[in-house]
Amino acid sequence: MTRQGIEARFENFGRFIVHRRWFFVPLVLLFAGSLSSQAPKIQIDTSAESFLRDDDPGKILYDDFRDQFGRGEVLIAAVRTRDALAPDFLAKLRDFHQALEEEVPHLHEVRSLINARVTRGEGDELIVEELLEEWPGSPEEWMHLRKYVQANSLYRNLLISEDARLTTVSVESNAYSSADLDPIAVEDAFESESEDAAFLSGAENAQVVSATRAVVERFTGENFEIRLSGEPALQADIASAIQSDMVRFVAGMVMIIALLLFLLFRRISGILLPLVVVGPAVSGTIGCMAIAGEYLSAPSQILPSLLLAVGIGAAVHILTIFFQNFDAGETREDAIAHAMGHSGLPVCMTSITTAGGLLSFVTAEIDPVAVIGIFAPIGIGLALIYCLILLPALLAIVPLKSLPGHTPQTRGPRGSGRIGDTLVTIGDFSIRHAHGSVVVTFLVIAISLVGASQIRFGHDIMGWLPETHPIRIATALFDEELNGSMVLEIVADTETENGVQTASFLNALEAVQGEILDPNHEMEMKAGKVLSIVDVVKEINQALNANDPNAYRIPTEKNLIAQEILLFENSGADDLERLVDSQFQMARVSIRVPYLDPVLYVNYIEETIKLFEDRFGPAVFVQATGFLPVMSMTINALIASMTQSYILALLIITPLMILLIGSLRIGLVSMIPNLTPIIITLGIMGWWGIVIDGFTLMIGGIAIGLAVDDTIHYMHNFRRSFLRNGDIRLANEETLRTTGHALLVTSMVLSAGFYIFTFAEMNNIYYFGLLTSITIANAFLIDLLVSPALMALTHRNSARPS
């Protein structure tokens, strides 16, 4: 079918909608309402592991780790004081500890100096008790307590700093969710480690953090200064920022859109109609996510603003031509039909290519990005359906008045004459200097590619927050006072029952711990603390040897280790559950390290695993898991995802451009203005040292989908006019006077809409908004400055550049 035939079909479709407007309006609104009603059910997940796909080996390992050893991440309250072992301070610490136990929901355990483990022997009996199970009653007992704590290597840099001016209180929540379960079912899930049990939800984590903070605020005071840190608090704060930012972003974008629409159309209907049409597409997409059981995450929070901006752009192109014709004296039905005939095809084309660009995210190994690749095209599809059906139906129903001062010879909104003249002048300049425009473009591309070659990848979740954020301050305090705030978890699997209880395994593990803590050992970073079953075994052995400090070692007798561990278990202590599995086949080793750029952990983790493997040999299988390895795996996934998504976007969009424009040569040439803005942005990132993360990764896929929109509208209308009059300059002028104004407004809407993200609380969203806004603005400028030159170089006619 010819282009003219397709346009005639769209005109007829417009008339069909007008004649059946009272059928389509309630039908579409009912459908939109049913999807939108599910939107409030959407939940938020900001955990580190949420960035990995469910079938990712790293995520599977981390889930298995939590099944076996409980939730690895804990809330840590650092309490600063003049003397953490003073009686008055410990009395308040005890009250603080008890308040947390009583008031924090979903709680597994609170650990502090109050209930720190004490293992001692009395004759042949092993006694395991809490440090302050009995409160000291005399100065001598207090002095004995002080000496014991300061001499205990397990407490140092874990529960108390070396100068005894800082102590920690750890709040560990349950690993599993208790939603919709009765207490007995919850307990059964914890004990059986059921595969059907869900892990603690984001909402439940937020409850844990909120209740903990309430207790912290109540107890914070003079000589009891509390700083709260830990991955659960980081998750909760990011989730809170997402919720508040998303509301502000959408509200801000609506205000910007309303202002720009008023400047374009100068009537209330021109503001309300696009919002009424596109709004249900946005809420309907969130509803689809909720129906599918997906979560909103840090990256996917951009979806509402993205869909709002893209959908408004499609509506603007139809409304611009409608109001031009309506104000020029056409009947409402004719104006609708001509607007659909003029803009219907390019709107469909741009929606397809934009959806294609975003569809490239489906293959991303970053799960939230892959979710955008699924649901953004769905949202764009909904917006397209509503624009093609609901918008013309509403135009046929709502009261409208034409604006005076428009004739068939001067069609266009008020003020568009000067704007149109400016656009035509710039486009004509590009045509007259076609070779120069293209040469300058390729020079800019070359400079940008040099910058792009310097790009770094990263996934610094802590760095998303401002430097003044309380969690970042608390993390720096932990690193300074306790020599580490992050934990690297190592799981050593002997693949043999009771393999952990052998002297050879324990001695090798002790040697590894010593090397990790050795300040002279050449590793990427220095650990502040290492905890494993080795510490418990040595503690038991010392207690059973009259508490002799020289007996703080691993027993040499073959059967003695198992016997001592059995005595420890029979004492009622459950500490081993966090260190080994029930078959004593696997051992957990927790390594506390400072917080640094997550990129630096990649080499450190590899070095640590190699250290274990060199000591244990092939008989023991060693794996790293926890928060740090998950972040490191995410960095590797980022690199793979960027490569895959960019290549897939090109493979999807290039054939579409060729097909939709109807020319292989022009379709390939059109990719120059489509790719140039992305290359420029990558160059900016490289020159400015901006890291590619889970957010900035999406700029390319989003930008190419949006940049194609401008190119399609320009080239579709240029070729439409050129085929009619055979004159490049006239075709360029007609295109920029009719479509150029809409392109300017939609580019302003998109660019300003993404610029809204620069007001976000989190730094990563700031850079995402800034760079995407720059990319969209560049896409419009390049289409205005380069596309006319490319058309002049690829077409022959009577108006060659002079």
Side-chain angles (χ1 to χ4, degrees), residues 79-96:
V79 188
R80 297 191 77 166
T81 181
R82 290 185 290 272
D83 181 5
L85 296 174
D88 290 346
F89 174 82
L90 287 173
K92 186 171 183 179
L93 183 68
R94 177 183 58 188
D95 295 340
F96 178 55

Side-chain angles (χ1 to χ4, degrees), residues 28 50 109 185 191 209 283 331 374 388 458 483 502 514 551 789:
V28 173
S50 69
E109 185 180 15
E191 291 179 357
V209 175
S283 57
T331 65
I374 296 172
L388 294 179
N483 299 322
T502 62

Side-chain angles (χ1 to χ4, degrees), residues 35 90 110 148 168 242 271 394 458 515 575 613 653 729 756:
L35 290 180
L90 287 173
V110 177
Y148 178 82
T168 64
I242 288 174
I271 300 173
L394 290 174
E515 290 184 72
D575 298 58
E613 290 175 342
I653 289 177
R729 288 184 176 172
I756 288 286

Side-chain angles (χ1 to χ4, degrees), residues 76-79 84-85 89-90 93 97 110-118 131 148-149 152-162 164-171 478 481-482 529 531 575 578 592:
I76 306 178
V79 188
L85 296 174
F89 174 82
L90 287 173
L93 183 68
H97 183 113
V110 177
R111 295 191 294 274
S112 71
L113 283 174
I114 302 301
N115 63 346
R117 186 181 70 244
V118 174
L131 177 64
Y148 178 82
V149 171
N152 193 311
S153 60
L154 287 179
Y155 296 174
R156 195 179 308 125
N157 288 336
L158 181 65
L159 294 174
I160 192 167
S161 61
E162 293 183 4
R165 299 183 63 182
L166 183 144
T167 186
T168 64
V169 181
S170 300
V171 179
F478 275 93
E481 298 286 348
L482 301 176
K529 195 76 177 177
L531 294 175
D575 298 58
R578 296 196 301 269
R592 190 179 293 275

Side-chain angles (χ1 to χ4, degrees), residues 627-649:
F627 182 65
L628 295 185
V630 165
M631 285 201 298
S632 300
M633 294 171 195
T634 302
I635 293 171
N636 294 329
L638 279 170
I639 299 173
S641 297
M642 178 179 175
T643 304
Q644 293 171 3
S645 63
Y646 281 27
I647 291 175
L648 184 58

Side-chain angles (χ1 to χ4, degrees), residues 423 735-745 780:
L423 295 177
T735 299
L736 292 179
R737 286 196 183 280
T738 54
T739 304
H741 200 176
L743 289 178
L744 174 62
V745 172
F780 172 75

Side-chain angles (χ1 to χ4, degrees), residues 77-78 82 101 104 153 240 305 333 396 432 434 446 461 470 488 511 515 568 593 605 609 638 651 666 707 746 764:
R82 290 185 290 272
E101 289 182 328
V104 175
S153 60
S240 176
S305 300
E333 179 179 333
R432 287 185 291 106
I461 294 181
L488 168 62
E515 290 184 72
F568 184 83
V593 293
I605 292 170
I609 291 178
L638 279 170
L651 292 176
I666 304 302
T746 54
N764 56 324

Side-chain angles (χ1 to χ4, degrees), residues 281-550:
V282 176
S283 57
T285 304
I286 303 302
C288 289
M289 291 180 66
I291 293 170
E294 294 291 349
Y295 295 86
L296 270 181
S297 63
S300 59
Q301 68 169 303
I302 69 166
L303 261 180
S305 300
L306 170 65
L307 295 175
L308 187 62
V310 172
I312 291 294
V316 163
H317 281 284
I318 293 174
L319 287 174
T320 298
I321 303 302
F322 167 78
F323 283 124
Q324 286 178 1
N325 295 331
F326 184 68
D327 291 340
E330 289 190 1
T331 65
R332 191 181 298 217
E333 179 179 333
D334 288 341
I336 292 172
H338 292 155
M340 293 290 285
H342 182 280
S343 298
L345 178 59
V347 163
C348 287
M349 292 162 61
T350 56
S351 296
I352 291 171
T353 52
T354 301
L358 294 168
L359 188 66
S360 66
F361 293 144
V362 168
T363 61
E365 295 183 24
I366 306 298
D367 192 58
V369 176
V371 168
I372 292 175
I374 296 172
F375 290 96
I378 290 175
I380 291 171
L382 290 174
L384 175 63
I385 292 171
Y386 298 163
C387 282
L388 294 179
I389 297 177
L390 183 60
L391 181 58
L394 290 174
L395 284 172
I397 292 175
V398 299
L400 294 174
K401 290 184 179 180
S402 60
L403 296 180
H406 293 76
T407 67
Q409 289 74 34
T410 60
R411 289 178 180 175
R414 292 180 179 180
S416 67
R418 282 177 293 179
I419 295 175
D421 290 343
T422 302
L423 295 177
V424 170
T425 300
I426 296 172
D428 193 60
F429 175 86
S430 174
I431 291 173
R432 287 185 291 106
H433 301 85
H435 288 93
S437 299
V438 173
V439 169
V440 171
T441 299
F442 279 103
L443 181 62
V444 171
I445 290 174
I447 295 173
S448 299
L449 287 173
V450 174
S453 66
Q454 304 177 41
I455 282 178
R456 295 186 303 112
F457 291 85
H459 187 59
D460 187 359
I461 294 181
M462 189 79 70
W464 293 354
L465 302 174
E467 292 183 0
T468 56
H469 195 281
I471 289 182
R472 292 192 65 171
I473 294 174
T475 300
L477 175 65
F478 275 93
D479 288 340
E480 180 182 353
E481 298 286 348
L482 301 176
N483 299 322
S485 56
M486 296 288 112
V487 177
L488 168 62
E489 302 285 4
I490 301 291
V491 178
D493 188 352
T494 65
E495 300 182 335
T496 303
E497 187 173 348
N498 296 321
V500 170
Q501 298 188 33
T502 62
S504 59
F505 176 88
L506 293 173
N507 285 325
L509 183 53
E510 182 183 32
V512 171
Q513 291 186 201
E515 290 184 72
I516 292 173
L517 293 172
D518 184 359
N520 298 318
H521 197 276
E522 295 182 359
M523 296 187 74
E524 285 283 333
M525 63 188 73
K526 302 306 175 186
K529 195 76 177 177
V530 182
L531 294 175
S532 74
I533 188 174
V534 165
D535 305 294
V536 177
V537 170
K538 292 195 292 187
E539 189 179 87
I540 298 169
N541 193 62
Q542 178 182 346
L544 292 174
N545 285 274
N547 302 307
D548 181 5
N550 294 323

